[in-house]
Structure formats: structure tokens, C-alpha cells
Amino acid sequence: MKLEPKQLTEFPSERQITAARFNHEGSILAAAGYEPAVRRWQFDGKTLTPLPSLSGFHGYSTALAFHPQQPQLFCADSWGQLRCCEGEKTIWQHETAHDGWLRQIAVSPDGKRIATCGKDHFIRVWDATSGKKLAEHDADEDVYALTMSDSITFGDMRGRIETWDLDLKKKQRTFDAAVLYKLDRIQDLGGLRVLRFIDDGKTLLAAGTTPQNGATPQSIPTILFFDTASGKLTKTVTHGTNKEGYIHDLAQHPSGCLMAVSSGTPGSGMLFLLNPADKEPFHVNTKMANCHSLALHPGGKHFVVTSTNRDSNGNGKSLGKDGQYKTNTSPLHLFEV
Amino acid sequence: MNPLCTPRDHTFSRRAFLGGGLGLLTSPLFAEAMKQRDKQVLFVWLDGGMSQLETWDPKPNTEFGGPFRSIPTSVPGVHFCELMPKLAKQMHKLCVVRSMCTKDNAHSSGVDRIQRGDPKNRGVPYPHFGAGVAKLLGPGSSGLPPYVWIKPGSGGFRAEDAGFLGPKYGSLAFGDGKPPDNLLRHPDISAEQDAARNELRQMLDQRFAKQREKRVVEANASVFDMADKLMARADIFDTSKLPERDRERYGRHDFGQHMLVARQMLEAGVRFVKVTSYGWDTHGDNFNAHAGMVPKFDQAFSAMLEDLEASGLLKTTLVICLSEFGRTPRINGHVGRDHWPEAWSIAMAGHGVKHGMVVGETNDRGTEVKAQPHDIGAAFHTWYRALGIDPMKTEFDNAGQPLPIAHDDMLPIKEALA
């Protein structure tokens, strides 16, 4: 089935957004980004209406995930805070769930547990209801991404991906995504951004970029397909030129197709839709610059892509029309499928 | 036995110092040795622009502050980014200027403008700071090449660094910190044969000199002198005999190992040692890039400060660390920071500068220097002053034309001077 997404409208946002997700009912959109707060909007099928933000974070809010069946929102910041909220109310909170930058949150399919990973090399598992820490594992490297099934699968800066049963403290599988890593001079270029299971867990996707050089990274959006049972790489999909950069977010539509957004050299960015059986996307939208997140509405009729304003870069002091130093923002693009 | 002392006899060895015990620090002999020792410079050049916000001038929890926390340093009230924990413990040795405001936001012109001190345009290329120091202070008692450059990649002689001073004062680059190819005399050539060849060369040089510009001939001869000195001190390139602990402390990455070679060069008495690290141009993925690179810088730079202090060399060595510019507060769509000369930081330590000092301040968003901004010309005045050279009284000689050694409308950063 080949979908044809159509953009309905665009909503402004005062800050840059790096992660956005709908709740299980699709009535709330929450977003993390370059501010110590989580923004929220009410969604009625046509319009995003701002709700009060969740404040009290530090540095930047970095990660969020909704409970799959309940209203709880799990969100985190770059100083290590992990919080569970219902609406504006905090249910539980750990100020230092990680030592510094908490990179991603994953929720188990039954919603009973959540897992977090961070720059402090740790993966931690928490009881979703109480916030009690259930298990932890030192991955000995900066952990960039993770996902949960019956077990936890995480990937680090160097493209080492492992599946662990943290209750038994036992490694179950290793996946080699070293192609997503490069050392350039003294810069470690970690290209992994997203881990997702598809096909009822039979296939693991590792998405991000194949780095070519450091400093101003030139790199090609990449998705690696692994057979979960054997750990073998079965397919590599790359799309775009080396200015297209990183796949920052990826979701599977209920129809089965993969939806990914990318961001590279300022001004470049893509939304592309791909049938998992194919090597080339069947739909590519390059009208949005530097896309960082894709929030798929439950049921799949809508989705939101967060991009970046087009003139986001420039050396020296760029002043806006008001004479103030310009900041960048993330327009929210609402699509109908 | 040769009754003449060798250049090495005049240098102060860290190993000898450490062997002598810390009590030596207080002895009159040590004080005298330090007084007599030549002033030296370590110039750490981070090619591109290190983000001031992820290093020396953090603005945590602000719009442009980035994801990282700040940490306290050994000087109460002064904070660094969490990516520099080792240097935070050594802030009491450092002088950080947070009020740099320079003119150029492009690499192509910016590198030269910064390294030449961005003087008034006199129609001639000014020397890099290292060349200026080589000219004004000479090679010192070690006799080793006065301006060496340890860099990743290839080496060679860069005459253009000397600008109007002439090629003699250019930088001698050691690619990857290695000696030039074929540095040592071929084993089939005896010392006598070598001396005879040199005599012949000098004779031919004299004939050559009669038809050429003096400074070109000088440069030509100086290359042979440099080679001769380096042949005698080939050991300064060899870090393999150093304790494993030292190699680990500086880091196994190339910047760490290059800094270790730089330490040996300073210990051997080289007047001016520049160390370059490339890749500090994070227009994309700035935070992950700094998360990887800054701790490596932190490791090597702090190990160097520790060792220079332990050997006493920090008393006679001016240490400078800077980039072409800083990086923009705003974060572009590629999660990068662009070039930002408007409000950035440099760090100094050692001879002639205050320790445990922060000069200047940026506003809460990091978008402006509060109060007095400092251009690179002011930094050049400061560095020359720190080395005991008064830019108000000292001039370069450009083929008979006197030229100021630093921007003639600028003044040193007084708060930074000891």
C-alpha cells in the first residue's frame, strides 16, 4: 500500500523541537527541544492548540514517550531528570536518573516498564507506575538509542547494538552497525539515532547516518535492517546525498510502510516513506528544512513533522527585523494520510 | 672530553627535576635556574572554532546554553562546562578571557588575521605570533629551531608564516610530531665527510649569497643549521621511552600524543611550540562533537599544565590556547553552531599572566561581551608583554621600514597581566 501524505497546515513554535509524540488517544501532542520545558498542544484533528508547558526541567528537554494505553507522559532532560506526568501533574520524578544527558526513553509494549539511556553509559529500567528502578546496565559507552520489546535493545556511539535481558543480566544478541560510526581526527561521529522493531519484532531497524567526515558532517541517511533472530544484517537502505545527513526519527505506519525524517546541511531535510520490502522510498518530500521528529497519530490518519526554519544558519551575528539576535524555531507540519 | 657545554646543558630537564625531589622547588639553585631559563611559548591552536559555550564560558539552562551542565572549578565562583572536569581542577593556573570580540567570521581570512594579530593594513603580510617571537627572542640557549609546529598530517617548512620578517622565521612543521624524513646522517657518511660537505656547501652559499637577497640566503643557511641542531636532538621526537603512564595521561589520540611531543620540545628548550588540532568546526552535530572532542582536549591540556608546573617550566612558559573564533549561540538546523567572533574565549597560563583569573564577561545569552571587548590585537599586546617585550617600544624591521609588532591602536589586556 502506497500512502500519499498531504500537508494540511503548519503551526508555529517559538523554540526548536527535537522530539514530538502523540498520546495514546491522539488528543495531546508533546514536544521536547532546546529549552528546559516540554511543550504540549491539544489536537482536535485539525488544529494544534497550545497547552501549558511542563516546566522544571534543566538544560534541554531531550526525550519523551507516552504510555501506550494510559495518559502518562515520560519525559527527560539533558541534566538527567526523568519524570512521569499526567497532564500537568507530576506522578513521580528522579532528578538524576542519569548523570547528565538522558538521550532516549522507551516504553515496554505492555506499558509496565520504561527504559532510559544516557551519555553516562547506562541503560536503566524503571517501573512505569512507581518510578522504582528495576535494573541497570553499564554499556561502557555513550548510549545513543534504545527500544523495548520483551527485552531491551540499545545501540551506542560506535554502532554496537545489543539486546539484553536485564532481569537475567544476560546478553541475548549483538548487531553490528559499525558502519554508522567513524573516527575523524579526534571526533567520534556516532550516526545511530533510532532503533525500532517491525514485523512483530522479527526485524530490527537501526536508522541514522553513515558518516563520511567530521566538523561539518557530510553523511547519508541510512537504515540498516537486521534479522532479529540471527542478528544478521539483511538490507541497507540509503537515501539522498551526503548533505542530507541524519535520519532523526522513524515510525511504522499501521499500513506497514516506514516513515522517516532527516536533517543535514542547514536547509536540507526530507520526509520519506518506504515500503520495508523496497530499497527506494515511494514518497519523498523535501519542502521542509531540517526535520527532527515525526509524531504519528494513533490510527495513522495524521502525523506531525517538526522541521527548522529555512535560514537557520549563518556565521556572525544575524539580527531579526526587531533588531534582536535571531533565534531558530521549529514549525510543526500537520499531515493527513 | 669536549670542554664546551652543549645546548642541552643549559636546559632544565623535567626528569632531572623530578629526580631531584620537590624540595628543589624552594632551593636557591632552582630559583636561579628558572631565572636564567629562556622564556618559551606553548601555543595550542584549535583549528576552526571551539564553542565557548561548551568549554570556558558555559550558559547552562539558557536558550542557547546547550544540553550540558556547568561545574565548579578550583577558583570559587568560576564555572566551566562539564566536558572539562580536569581543567576545572586547574583553573587556579589559568587566565581565561571571556571577552574576545574579533572581526572576521570566515576561515579563509580569519586564520591569518588571528594568527597575525590583525594589525592595521600596511600592505605587507604580518608574521604569525610564533614568527614574531622567533624574531624578537631568537632560538634561545638551546639553539633549536625557534618556531616549531606540531600538527596532524604532513610537515615541512612554512616560510609564509613569517610574513615580511623573511623565511628564516617561518615555522618548521613536524607532521604527526615526527621528525623530518632522513633526519639522521646516513650511516655510510662519516662525521668527517659530513663536515667536509658542509664546508663545501658554505663556500657555495657565499657565492650564491652575492647574487641574492640577504634574508633569502639567511633562510637557506638557517635550514641547514636547524637540521644540524635537530640531528643532535632527534630524541625530542621520541616518546616511546616515556613512562606508559605519561602516554595514557595525555591520551592515546593524536592530540594527546602531539602534546606529549610538545612537552619534550619545551623541555629541550624550543622557544615557541605550536600544537594544532583540526576539526573544531562543528556546523553540524555540535553537541555530540564537543562531547567527544572536548574531553580529549581537557585530558591533554590539563596533563600538560600539570607537567609544566611540576617541572617548573610553567614559570617560564607562556601557554596560550585559542581558535579562529567561537561558535554561534543559536543552534542551526543541523544541530550545529556556526562561526562567532562576537563574544568568545581564550585561555592562558604560565609566564607573565595572572593565574586563577577570569577577564571579561558575556551577557546571560552569550550574545554580547559586557563592558570592554578585546580584539586579537589586544591579545598580541598582552602576550608580548607577558614575554617581557614592550610593544610600545619594540618594532619590526620591514626592510628598513619600522612597523609596530602589535596593532598600534590597541593596548594589552591589563587585568590578565601578572
Side-chain angles (χ1 to χ4, degrees), chain B residues 14 17-18 22 42 85-90 92-94 245-246 248-250 259 263 267 298-314 319 349:
Chain B
R14 174 179 175 272
F17 163 76
L18 292 174
L22 289 173
L42 170 66
K86 291 185 165 75
L87 282 167
K89 289 178 185 158
Q90 301 204 54
H92 58 283
K93 294 177 193 148
L94 289 163
R245 186 174 164 273
D246 271 5
E248 286 297 330
R249 282 176 56 244
Y250 280 73
M259 287 286 274
R263 191 191 81 187
E267 288 170 353
D298 180 58
Q299 179 182 24
F301 195 60
S302 61
M304 176 69 92
L305 290 178
E306 278 172 8
D307 287 352
L308 292 180
E309 185 178 53
S311 64
L313 281 178
L314 200 56
V319 178

Side-chain angles (χ1 to χ4, degrees), chain A residues 15-16 34 36 57-60 62 78-79 98-101 103 119 142 144 183 185-190 193 215-217 245-246 248 263-266 290 292 308-309 311-318 324-328, chain B residues 60-70 82-83 105-106 152 253-255 277-285 287-289 291-293 296-297 327-335 337-342 365 367-368:
Chain A
R15 291 291 182 91
Q16 286 164 276
Y34 299 160
F57 292 93
H58 299 101
Y60 290 167
T62 50
S78 63
W79 291 15
H98 285 261
D99 182 9
W101 192 345
R103 288 184 179 272
K119 188 177 165 295
D142 190 343
Y144 272 30
L183 176 67
R185 297 175 178 136
I186 62 167
Q187 184 179 352
D188 296 292
L189 289 144
R193 290 293 181 274
T216 304
Y246 297 73
H248 278 281
S263 169
T265 307
N290 300 100
H292 287 267
T308 312
N309 52 287
D311 55 345
S312 69
N313 66 319
N315 298 330
K317 190 181 270 187
S318 306
Q324 296 297 307
Y325 181 60
K326 273 166 74 172
T327 62
N328 291 322
Chain B
N61 227 17
T62 64
E63 179 181 6
F64 302 128
F68 301 112
R69 298 166 291 186
S70 66
E82 65 173 305
L83 300 176
N105 64 30
H253 40 85
D254 65 2
F255 179 63
S277 172
Y278 289 113
W280 296 82
D281 195 28
T282 50
H283 292 281
D285 205 20
F287 303 122
N288 287 321
M293 292 195 295
K296 290 172 186 166
F297 163 77
R327 303 216 75 86
T328 51
R330 79 169 174 161
I331 300 151
N332 67 37
H334 199 9
V335 201
R337 294 192 193 268
D338 302 309
H339 304 168
W340 184 249
E342 273 81 359
R365 303 171 82 214
T367 57
E368 304 271 357

Side-chain angles (χ1 to χ4, degrees), chain A residues 101-113:
Chain A
W101 192 345
L102 197 160
R103 288 184 179 272
Q104 287 195 359
I105 302 172
V107 187
S108 63
D110 62 8
K112 288 182 178 170
R113 302 192 302 172

Side-chain angles (χ1 to χ4, degrees), chain A residues 54-82:
Chain A
L54 304 176
S55 58
F57 292 93
H58 299 101
Y60 290 167
S61 57
T62 50
L64 49 81
F66 276 102
H67 191 285
Q69 295 97 28
Q70 293 171 23
Q72 288 89 4
L73 170 65
F74 308 99
C75 33
D77 72 24
S78 63
W79 291 15
Q81 188 193 105
L82 175 65

